[in-house]
Amino acid sequence: MKQSRMYIPTLKQIPSDAEAVSHQLMLRAGYIRQVSAGAYALLPLAWDVILKIENIIRKEMKKIDAVEMMMPALIPADLWKESGRFKTYGENLFKFEDRHDREFILGPTHEETFTSVIKEQLNSYKKLPMVLYELQPKYRDEDRPRYGLLRCREFYMKDAYSFAANAEQTDVIFNQMETAYKNIFDACKLDYRTIIGNAGPMGGTDSKEFSVVAGIGEDTIVFSDDSNYSANLEMATSKIEQVPSEKHLPMEEVSTPDAHTIDALAKFLQIEPNKIMKAVAVMADEQPVLVMIRGDYQVNSIKLRNVLNVNLVEEATPDEVRKVFGSAPGFISPYGIADDVKVIFDSSLEGLDNFVIGANKDDKHLINANFEDVVEGPVEFNDVRVVKEGEVSPDGHGHLEFTKGIEIGHIFKLGTRFSNSLGANFIDEDGKSKPLLMGSYGIGISRLLSAIIEQHNDENGIVWPAKLSPFQVHVVPIKYSNDDQHKLSDEVVQLLQDEGFDVLLDDRNERAGVKFADSDLMGFPIRITVGKKAVDSIVELKLRKTGETIEVNKDELVNSVKILLKNQ
Ligand SMILES: Nc1ncnc2c1ncn2[C@@H]1O[C@H](COP(=O)(O)OP(=O)(O)O)[C@@H](O)[C@H]1O
Ligand SMILES: [Mg+2]
């Protein structure tokens, strides 16, 4: 392939609005161009890498009998109304009407579409299990599209869906999918972690995310320094250190003027925040809920949403708080409130004695409060807190550390969430009709491109792993108009192409320095420079990764390239 015929619009300047290194490099090296916020043209080099990643995925899916097909991105809104997600998916859903005023959405994910399409046919245990997948653009009206291909409004996803007759079948597929995903990400030469991810109210630990360790990552990965425990901060938990127990003292009301925050209150009462029961009032699907948590912790809204099994959790406004509790937000508690207000106690409160809580009166708190003063009967505890660095890992081994990550893939068991709402049932061996058990498995293909570049670059540009690089070899004549160089360059290209390598020839009439800089920027594993020694059929091989160079004769070239590429 001649470079003059390729569309590779490289830039000299670092684009000022691109924060992520991968975003900068993809713009500078001519891989992508933005068309609108979060929607990119994937130029020939980027598209080539995407196709390579897709083929790695296809190979792994074939191994586990997952079958590729293609769904429309255009989805009737009715289907999503049937599943309930039209309302609950939120503002990321692109909605519009066709010329007949019928409502449509652009698919942000395809559980409904697959379920509705297969449900007539997959009606017997004899036809199960089945795993189907597609490689397709997805549409999400993200609030803040950014970092190039990392967070887009139109992006490529591989999404697979499994349909099974029982939990055992689902387990087998889930485990096969996990192995396949690891093979895919290993082939992409990524440094990633498999972590416990959020799967919604019924998910439990059957949700795994694959997360690439990168400073630019928007997720926080929590991991133990001494075990393989690893979770998204949204789901991470810990073995909590309880405050030593004390003899219960009589509860007393005290004046705490202006102590609206935990810090102010702790200072005023001269106690540690962990002796205060913090109260957070929220509206959960428009119902008031009071969340109680130890003063030194924050509420994790994802965990809370899962515990409450609701779609939306919002902080209650001061007006809403006053209506329910009769005081300002800083002074509320479960003490004496109406029975119909749901109260959640975080597990950080287990075993706490003689604590401080609000009195549900402005500027008043109760000190030496104990559970028997506050609630009737046994207390149920739920984990709804955000864990902190340094806490003991939930398995008791090691302490928790945090690092930033990019979610590249996600596998989870859906249970009967969609088969129930869409009526996808099958007749089981026992003759009974049952809902299909489902699983959902996604990879962010276009995001992978960014993630790989985040981990494979240097000060001069991208450094592709050989199997993903758009071209494996870049042939760069110093002066293509020179007869010897022209002839040898063409011969070299031919030799390598005959061996099946993807080769790019820089036939442009540019200074050598410009060509070398572009070559480094684009990041192909091997550059072959054809210069003065072309008369003697000698070229220079340069490894992009290490900068190492060797001179070889045309006759040894193919062999040398083969050996060098093996190790890239
Ligand atoms: N806005 C986006 N831009 C690019 N890739 C995305 C985006 N949102 C999700 N992805 C990719 O698609 C994969 C599957 O999506 P999913 O798990 O449904 O996303 P989320 O966890 O954001 O709801 C994610 O693991 C991620 O790699
Ligand atoms: Mg996800």
Side-chain angles (χ1 to χ4, degrees), residues 38 85 89 92 108-109 111 138-140 142 144-146 148-159 185 198 209-210 218-219 234 406-412 440-448:
R85 282 209 287 188
Y89 195 82
N92 274 11
T109 174
E111 283 81 2
K138 294 282 183 274
Y139 300 87
R140 296 184 184 179
E142 296 278 354
R144 290 187 68 197
R146 57 188 174 150
L149 301 186
L150 278 179
R151 187 163 293 280
C152 281
R153 301 202 297 165
E154 173 172 321
F155 59 96
Y156 276 81
M157 202 202 276
K158 169 263 173 182
D159 47 323
F185 300 136
N198 177 30
E209 289 175 4
F210 300 84
E218 294 177 298
D219 292 346
E234 292 177 341
I406 301 167
E407 180 191 328
I408 47 169
H410 193 176
I411 56 175
F412 56 105
S440 166
Y441 317 87
I443 294 180
I445 297 174
S446 44
R447 175 181 287 186
L448 263 184

Side-chain angles (χ1 to χ4, degrees), residues 360-562:
N360 292 320
K361 292 180 195 165
D362 282 345
D363 297 337
K364 299 276 189 240
H365 276 90
L366 300 166
I367 61 167
N368 296 330
N370 285 288
F371 278 105
E372 64 267 22
D373 304 320
V374 180
V375 280
E376 275 176 48
V379 183
E380 189 195 326
F381 294 97
N382 285 285
D383 174 8
V384 293
R385 72 185 177 283
V386 181
V387 299
K388 293 188 279 197
E389 250 177 315
E391 287 183 26
V392 177
S393 174
D395 54 17
H397 298 291
H399 293 86
L400 299 181
E401 288 186 23
F402 288 11
T403 183
K404 288 286 171 200
I406 301 167
E407 180 191 328
I408 47 169
H410 193 176
I411 56 175
F412 56 105
K413 297 179 189 168
L414 295 168
T416 57
R417 159 75 181 84
F418 293 94
S419 40
N420 271 335
S421 54
L422 301 173
N425 302 312
F426 71 101
I427 305 294
D428 205 353
E429 230 167 336
D430 57 12
K432 291 196 177 122
S433 173
K434 298 174 184 170
L436 290 165
L437 288 176
M438 291 175 56
S440 166
Y441 317 87
I443 294 180
I445 297 174
S446 44
R447 175 181 287 186
L448 263 184
L449 216 65
S450 297
I452 295 165
I453 295 174
E454 284 294 325
Q455 290 192 340
H456 295 272
N457 70 76
D458 64 16
E459 65 280 10
N460 297 321
I462 303 169
V463 184
W464 284 115
K467 293 223 167 62
L468 301 174
S469 183
F471 294 96
Q472 284 130 21
V473 184
H474 196 195
V475 177
V476 183
I478 301 283
K479 207 170 183 305
Y480 194 52
S481 55
N482 170 287
D483 284 346
D484 292 324
Q485 293 186 29
H486 192 116
K487 191 163 155 272
L488 185 58
S489 296
D490 288 358
E491 272 176 24
V492 163
V493 169
Q494 198 57 51
L495 275 172
L496 291 168
Q497 280 180 347
D498 287 348
E499 289 290 325
F501 294 111
D502 288 328
V503 187
L504 183 67
L505 168 68
D506 195 345
D507 59 336
R508 298 173 305 162
N509 187 19
E510 292 278 2
R511 282 185 300 113
V514 171
K515 294 198 234 183
F516 290 160
D518 279 351
S519 180
D520 280 352
L521 196 55
M522 292 186 287
F524 316 136
I526 293 179
R527 187 182 85 199
I528 295 179
T529 314
V530 182
K532 286 211 180 84
K533 293 189 182 166
V535 244
D536 306 317
S537 293
I538 290 175
V539 298
E540 182 198 77
L541 257 69
K542 184 171 185 224
L543 285 179
R544 176 66 186 86
K545 198 163 160 187
T546 60
E548 261 172 280
T549 57
I550 46 165
E551 286 194 341
V552 289
N553 191 283
K554 186 180 74 179
D555 305 328
E556 309 147 25
L557 185 68
V558 168
N559 247 340
S560 306
V561 168
K562 273 188 189 160

Side-chain angles (χ1 to χ4, degrees), residues 170-277:
T170 308
D171 287 347
V172 170
I173 294 165
F174 188 85
N175 293 337
Q176 286 177 331
M177 209 49 100
E178 181 174 351
T179 306
Y181 275 31
K182 287 181 173 164
N183 291 343
I184 292 163
F185 300 136
D186 286 342
C188 292
K189 304 278 184 214
L190 285 166
D191 173 16
Y192 65 94
R193 287 169 187 267
T194 311
I195 68 177
I196 298 168
N198 177 30
M202 296 170 301
T205 52
D206 291 338
S207 161
K208 288 188 181 173
E209 289 175 4
F210 300 84
S211 195
V212 160
V213 181
I216 198 83
E218 294 177 298
D219 292 346
T220 300
I221 305 174
V222 178
F223 63 98
S224 165
D225 61 5
D226 195 31
S227 78
N228 56 15
Y229 179 75
S230 200
N232 190 314
L233 181 61
E234 292 177 341
M235 293 300 283
T237 179
S238 66
K239 209 169 190 172
I240 203 147
E241 277 175 57
Q242 286 185 0
V243 179
S245 67
E246 296 168 4
K247 191 167 161 278
H248 290 188
L249 300 171
M251 185 167 79
E252 251 180 85
E253 187 178 290
V254 295
S255 238
T256 51
D258 299 327
H260 289 276
T261 63
I262 294 294
D263 281 351
L265 184 61
K267 215 164 169 191
F268 182 83
L269 294 173
Q270 300 209 325
I271 53 170
E272 291 296 321
N274 64 15
K275 293 296 283 182
I276 301 172
M277 219 192 240

Side-chain angles (χ1 to χ4, degrees), residues 114-126:
F114 274 87
T115 309
S116 78
V117 165
I118 60 85
K119 73 176 180 190
E120 300 303 326
Q121 281 305 310
L122 292 186
N123 54 6
S124 159
Y125 73 95
K126 290 179 196 152

